[in-house]
Amino acid sequence: ETGVTQSPTHLIKTRGQQVTLRCSSQSGHNTVSWYQQALGQGPQFIFQYYREEENGRGNFPPRFSGLQFPNYSSELNVNALELDDSALYLCASRPGRGANTEAFFGQGTRLTVV
Amino acid sequence: GQNIDQPTEMTATEGAIVQINCTYQTSGFNGLFWYQQHAGEAPTFLSYNVLDGLEEKGRFSSFLSRSKGYSYLLLKELQMKDSASYLCAVRPPGRNTGKLIFGQGTTLQVKP
Protein backbone atom coordinates (compact mmCIF):
# COMPACT_ATOMS: atom_id res chain seq x y z
CA GLU A 1 0.00 0.00 0.00
CA THR A 2 1.48 3.29 -1.15
CA GLY A 3 0.33 5.60 1.60
CA VAL A 4 0.19 8.56 -0.81
CA THR A 5 -3.27 10.10 -0.74
CA GLN A 6 -4.72 12.73 -3.04
CA SER A 7 -7.86 14.80 -2.87
CA PRO A 8 -10.28 15.24 -4.39
CA THR A 9 -10.54 12.11 -6.54
CA HIS A 10 -12.64 13.79 -9.20
CA LEU A 11 -13.25 17.42 -10.05
CA ILE A 12 -15.11 19.35 -12.72
CA LYS A 13 -14.16 22.98 -13.38
CA THR A 14 -15.06 25.61 -15.95
CA ARG A 15 -12.54 27.10 -18.35
CA GLY A 16 -10.84 30.14 -16.78
CA GLN A 17 -11.33 28.98 -13.21
CA GLN A 18 -8.62 28.09 -10.72
CA VAL A 19 -8.13 24.73 -9.01
CA THR A 20 -6.13 23.40 -6.05
CA LEU A 21 -5.23 19.73 -5.78
CA ARG A 22 -3.83 18.20 -2.59
CA CYS A 23 -1.41 15.42 -1.80
CA SER A 24 -0.30 13.79 1.45
CA SER A 25 3.01 12.05 0.98
CA GLN A 26 3.89 8.68 2.43
CA SER A 27 5.24 8.81 5.97
CA GLY A 28 8.94 9.66 6.00
CA HIS A 29 8.99 10.91 2.40
CA ASN A 30 10.26 14.48 2.01
CA THR A 31 10.25 14.71 -1.79
CA VAL A 32 7.04 15.17 -3.77
CA SER A 33 6.60 15.32 -7.54
CA TRP A 34 3.53 16.15 -9.57
CA TYR A 35 2.64 14.66 -12.96
CA GLN A 36 -0.08 15.25 -15.54
CA GLN A 37 -1.37 12.17 -17.37
CA ALA A 38 -3.61 12.69 -20.38
CA LEU A 39 -5.81 9.83 -21.48
CA GLY A 40 -3.79 7.10 -23.20
CA GLN A 41 -0.48 8.80 -22.48
CA GLY A 42 2.31 8.41 -19.95
CA PRO A 43 2.62 10.86 -17.06
CA GLN A 44 4.36 14.19 -17.79
CA PHE A 45 6.54 15.74 -15.07
CA ILE A 46 5.24 19.10 -13.81
CA PHE A 47 7.58 19.85 -10.89
CA GLN A 48 9.21 18.50 -7.75
CA TYR A 49 9.37 19.82 -4.19
CA TYR A 50 12.05 18.96 -1.67
CA ARG A 51 11.88 20.34 1.86
CA GLU A 52 9.36 23.01 0.89
CA GLU A 53 11.27 24.30 -2.13
CA GLU A 54 10.69 23.67 -5.82
CA ASN A 55 13.84 22.06 -7.18
CA GLY A 56 12.92 21.00 -10.69
CA ARG A 57 10.27 21.84 -13.26
CA GLY A 58 9.02 20.35 -16.51
CA ASN A 59 7.65 22.15 -19.57
CA PHE A 60 4.57 23.63 -17.95
CA PRO A 61 3.58 27.32 -17.95
CA PRO A 62 3.75 29.48 -14.81
CA ARG A 63 0.01 29.14 -14.23
CA PHE A 64 0.93 25.72 -12.82
CA SER A 65 2.33 26.37 -9.35
CA GLY A 66 2.77 24.45 -6.14
CA LEU A 67 3.56 24.42 -2.48
CA GLN A 68 5.03 21.98 -0.02
CA PHE A 69 4.29 22.27 3.68
CA PRO A 70 6.46 21.45 6.73
CA ASN A 71 4.74 18.05 7.04
CA TYR A 72 5.77 17.42 3.38
CA SER A 73 2.21 17.45 2.08
CA SER A 74 1.82 19.40 -1.14
CA GLU A 75 -0.58 21.36 -3.29
CA LEU A 76 -0.79 21.84 -7.04
CA ASN A 77 -2.50 25.04 -8.17
CA VAL A 78 -3.59 25.69 -11.73
CA ASN A 79 -4.86 29.12 -12.74
CA ALA A 80 -6.83 30.15 -15.81
CA LEU A 81 -7.86 26.60 -16.60
CA GLU A 82 -7.91 25.52 -20.23
CA LEU A 83 -9.76 22.61 -21.80
CA ASP A 84 -6.43 20.84 -22.43
CA ASP A 85 -5.77 20.79 -18.68
CA SER A 86 -8.29 17.97 -18.43
CA ALA A 87 -6.21 15.01 -17.24
CA LEU A 88 -5.32 12.75 -14.34
CA TYR A 89 -2.99 14.58 -11.95
CA LEU A 90 -0.66 12.27 -10.06
CA CYS A 91 1.38 13.00 -6.98
CA ALA A 92 4.42 10.87 -6.16
CA SER A 93 6.57 10.87 -3.04
CA ARG A 94 10.06 9.55 -2.37
CA PRO A 95 12.22 9.21 0.74
CA GLY A 96 14.87 11.71 -0.37
CA ARG A 97 16.44 12.61 -3.67
CA GLY A 98 18.60 9.57 -4.36
CA ALA A 99 18.46 8.51 -7.97
CA ASN A 100 17.70 4.88 -7.16
CA THR A 101 14.68 5.52 -4.99
CA GLU A 102 11.41 4.70 -6.64
CA ALA A 103 8.47 7.05 -6.58
CA PHE A 104 5.27 5.97 -4.85
CA PHE A 105 2.21 7.32 -6.61
CA GLY A 106 -1.16 8.34 -5.30
CA GLN A 107 -4.31 7.36 -7.15
CA GLY A 108 -4.62 10.76 -8.70
CA THR A 109 -7.19 13.47 -9.17
CA ARG A 110 -9.23 13.30 -12.36
CA LEU A 111 -9.76 16.92 -13.48
CA THR A 112 -12.28 17.73 -16.18
CA VAL A 113 -12.38 21.26 -17.59
CA VAL A 114 -15.56 22.18 -19.45
CA GLY B 1 15.91 15.61 -26.89
CA GLN B 2 13.98 13.15 -24.83
CA ASN B 3 12.15 10.29 -26.49
CA ILE B 4 10.90 7.00 -25.11
CA ASP B 5 9.16 4.46 -27.35
CA GLN B 6 7.00 1.52 -26.37
CA PRO B 7 4.43 -0.47 -28.32
CA THR B 8 0.95 0.90 -27.75
CA GLU B 9 -0.84 -2.40 -27.28
CA MET B 10 -0.02 -6.07 -26.84
CA THR B 11 -2.14 -9.18 -26.39
CA ALA B 12 -1.05 -12.44 -24.80
CA THR B 13 -2.57 -15.65 -23.47
CA GLU B 14 -2.92 -16.64 -19.84
CA GLY B 15 0.06 -18.77 -18.76
CA ALA B 16 2.29 -17.52 -21.56
CA ILE B 17 5.35 -15.24 -21.54
CA VAL B 18 5.32 -11.70 -22.92
CA GLN B 19 8.14 -9.23 -23.52
CA ILE B 20 7.44 -5.49 -23.58
CA ASN B 21 10.20 -3.47 -25.21
CA CYS B 22 11.25 0.10 -24.53
CA THR B 23 13.79 2.17 -26.42
CA TYR B 24 14.98 5.55 -25.27
CA GLN B 25 16.98 8.49 -26.53
CA THR B 26 17.57 10.90 -23.69
CA SER B 27 20.20 13.50 -22.89
CA GLY B 28 21.80 11.57 -20.07
CA PHE B 29 20.69 8.56 -18.08
CA ASN B 30 20.39 7.85 -14.38
CA GLY B 31 18.30 4.71 -14.29
CA LEU B 32 15.25 3.13 -15.90
CA PHE B 33 12.03 2.20 -14.14
CA TRP B 34 9.06 0.04 -15.04
CA TYR B 35 5.65 0.75 -13.54
CA GLN B 36 2.34 -1.10 -13.80
CA GLN B 37 -0.89 0.89 -13.95
CA HIS B 38 -4.33 -0.67 -13.82
CA ALA B 39 -7.14 1.41 -15.25
CA GLY B 40 -8.17 4.13 -12.84
CA GLU B 41 -5.42 3.29 -10.37
CA ALA B 42 -2.00 4.62 -9.35
CA PRO B 43 1.14 3.43 -11.13
CA THR B 44 2.94 0.87 -8.97
CA PHE B 45 6.69 0.24 -9.06
CA LEU B 46 7.89 -2.98 -10.71
CA SER B 47 11.62 -2.66 -11.32
CA TYR B 48 14.69 -0.44 -11.51
CA ASN B 49 17.77 -0.92 -13.70
CA VAL B 50 20.82 1.31 -13.74
CA LEU B 51 23.49 -1.17 -14.86
CA ASP B 52 23.38 -3.44 -17.90
CA GLY B 53 21.87 -6.83 -17.42
CA LEU B 54 18.84 -8.65 -16.14
CA GLU B 55 17.04 -8.01 -12.86
CA GLU B 56 14.67 -10.78 -11.82
CA LYS B 57 11.85 -10.39 -9.33
CA GLY B 58 9.44 -13.30 -9.20
CA ARG B 59 7.41 -13.56 -12.41
CA PHE B 60 8.75 -10.23 -13.64
CA SER B 61 12.23 -9.52 -15.02
CA SER B 62 13.70 -6.37 -16.52
CA PHE B 63 16.69 -6.04 -18.82
CA LEU B 64 18.79 -3.01 -19.69
CA SER B 65 21.37 -2.26 -22.37
CA ARG B 66 22.65 1.28 -21.95
CA SER B 67 24.75 1.21 -25.13
CA LYS B 68 21.66 0.36 -27.17
CA GLY B 69 19.24 2.57 -25.25
CA TYR B 70 17.04 -0.46 -24.80
CA SER B 71 15.12 -2.19 -22.05
CA TYR B 72 12.49 -4.86 -21.84
CA LEU B 73 10.07 -6.12 -19.22
CA LEU B 74 9.46 -9.86 -19.26
CA LEU B 75 6.33 -11.26 -17.68
CA LYS B 76 6.15 -15.01 -17.15
CA GLU B 77 3.20 -17.28 -16.33
CA LEU B 78 0.76 -14.57 -17.28
CA GLN B 79 -2.33 -14.15 -15.16
CA MET B 80 -5.55 -12.32 -16.00
CA LYS B 81 -4.71 -9.72 -13.35
CA ASP B 82 -1.61 -8.77 -15.36
CA SER B 83 -3.90 -6.97 -17.83
CA ALA B 84 -2.77 -3.36 -17.32
CA SER B 85 -0.69 -0.56 -18.79
CA TYR B 86 3.08 -0.91 -18.41
CA LEU B 87 5.06 2.30 -18.26
CA CYS B 88 8.76 2.61 -19.04
CA ALA B 89 10.43 5.67 -17.48
CA VAL B 90 13.95 7.09 -17.58
CA ARG B 91 15.45 9.21 -14.83
CA PRO B 92 17.74 11.89 -16.29
CA PRO B 93 20.96 12.85 -14.50
CA GLY B 94 21.40 15.98 -12.47
CA ARG B 95 20.37 17.36 -9.12
CA ASN B 96 16.72 17.15 -10.14
CA THR B 97 16.69 13.40 -9.75
CA GLY B 98 12.99 13.25 -8.98
CA LYS B 99 12.00 13.74 -12.57
CA LEU B 100 10.92 10.69 -14.55
CA ILE B 101 10.44 10.78 -18.31
CA PHE B 102 7.70 8.32 -19.20
CA GLY B 103 6.86 6.55 -22.39
CA GLN B 104 3.22 6.49 -23.48
CA GLY B 105 2.71 3.08 -21.90
CA THR B 106 1.92 -0.36 -23.33
CA THR B 107 -1.57 -1.69 -22.72
CA LEU B 108 -1.36 -5.43 -22.21
CA GLN B 109 -4.47 -7.55 -22.56
CA VAL B 110 -4.26 -11.10 -21.20
CA LYS B 111 -6.81 -13.47 -22.70
CA PRO B 112 -7.94 -16.83 -21.31
Side-chain angles (χ1 to χ4, degrees):
Chain A
E1 193 164 355
T2 69
V4 180
T5 59
Q6 293 185 242
S7 63
T9 54
H10 295 83
L11 199 56
I12 299 175
K13 287 287 192 177
T14 303
R15 188 172 51 183
Q17 285 188 313
Q18 179 266 344
V19 69
T20 297
L21 310 181
R22 295 178 174 83
C23 171
S24 293
S25 59
Q26 187 163 329
S27 178
H29 289 190
N30 57 16
T31 303
V32 172
S33 301
W34 286 90
Y35 291 81
Q36 179 195 68
Q37 187 176 24
L39 201 61
Q41 301 296 316
Q44 298 292 312
F45 177 75
I46 302 175
F47 44 55
Q48 172 181 284
Y49 278 83
Y50 172 69
R51 292 187 175 181
E52 302 178 57
E53 290 190 2
E54 182 183 305
N55 76 332
R57 190 177 183 91
N59 295 325
F60 281 81
R63 59 189 184 84
F64 285 77
S65 63
L67 284 173
Q68 188 179 32
F69 301 98
N71 66 354
Y72 304 133
S73 65
S74 178
E75 286 182 355
L76 165 65
N77 300 290
V78 187
N79 294 322
L81 283 167
E82 301 176 359
L83 296 179
D84 285 349
D85 295 333
S86 296
L88 180 67
Y89 287 85
L90 294 163
C91 168
S93 73
R94 296 190 304 133
R97 295 186 296 176
N100 64 341
T101 56
E102 73 265 27
F104 293 83
F105 285 86
Q107 289 200 305
T109 295
R110 173 73 62 188
L111 173 64
T112 303
V113 182
V114 297
Chain B
Q2 322 273 24
N3 192 43
I4 298 178
D5 288 317
Q6 314 178 226
T8 306
E9 296 179 343
M10 297 184 72
T11 303
T13 304
E14 191 176 15
I17 299 173
V18 70
Q19 178 174 311
I20 302 174
N21 296 324
C22 171
T23 58
Y24 62 91
Q25 299 98 36
T26 57
S27 48
F29 176 86
N30 203 10
L32 186 143
F33 293 77
W34 283 96
Y35 280 84
Q36 180 191 61
Q37 187 177 26
H38 285 99
E41 296 185 12
T44 54
F45 170 78
L46 291 177
S47 68
Y48 169 73
N49 295 71
V50 67
L51 300 176
D52 291 351
L54 188 68
E55 294 282 340
E56 296 185 81
K57 190 182 292 185
R59 294 190 299 116
F60 292 7
S61 302
S62 57
F63 172 83
L64 175 67
S65 169
R66 289 171 296 170
S67 63
K68 295 181 180 177
Y70 168 70
S71 173
Y72 68 72
L73 180 69
L74 193 70
L75 292 76
K76 303 176 184 176
E77 301 170 14
L78 279 172
Q79 302 175 9
M80 298 299 291
K81 67 178 182 179
D82 296 330
S83 293
S85 178
Y86 290 85
L87 299 163
C88 171
V90 169
R91 178 160 283 163
R95 61 187 296 270
N96 176 23
T97 54
K99 179 179 181 178
L100 290 173
I101 304 167
F102 282 88
Q104 68 176 8
T106 298
T107 299
L108 173 66
Q109 184 179 16
V110 179
K111 294 185 174 181

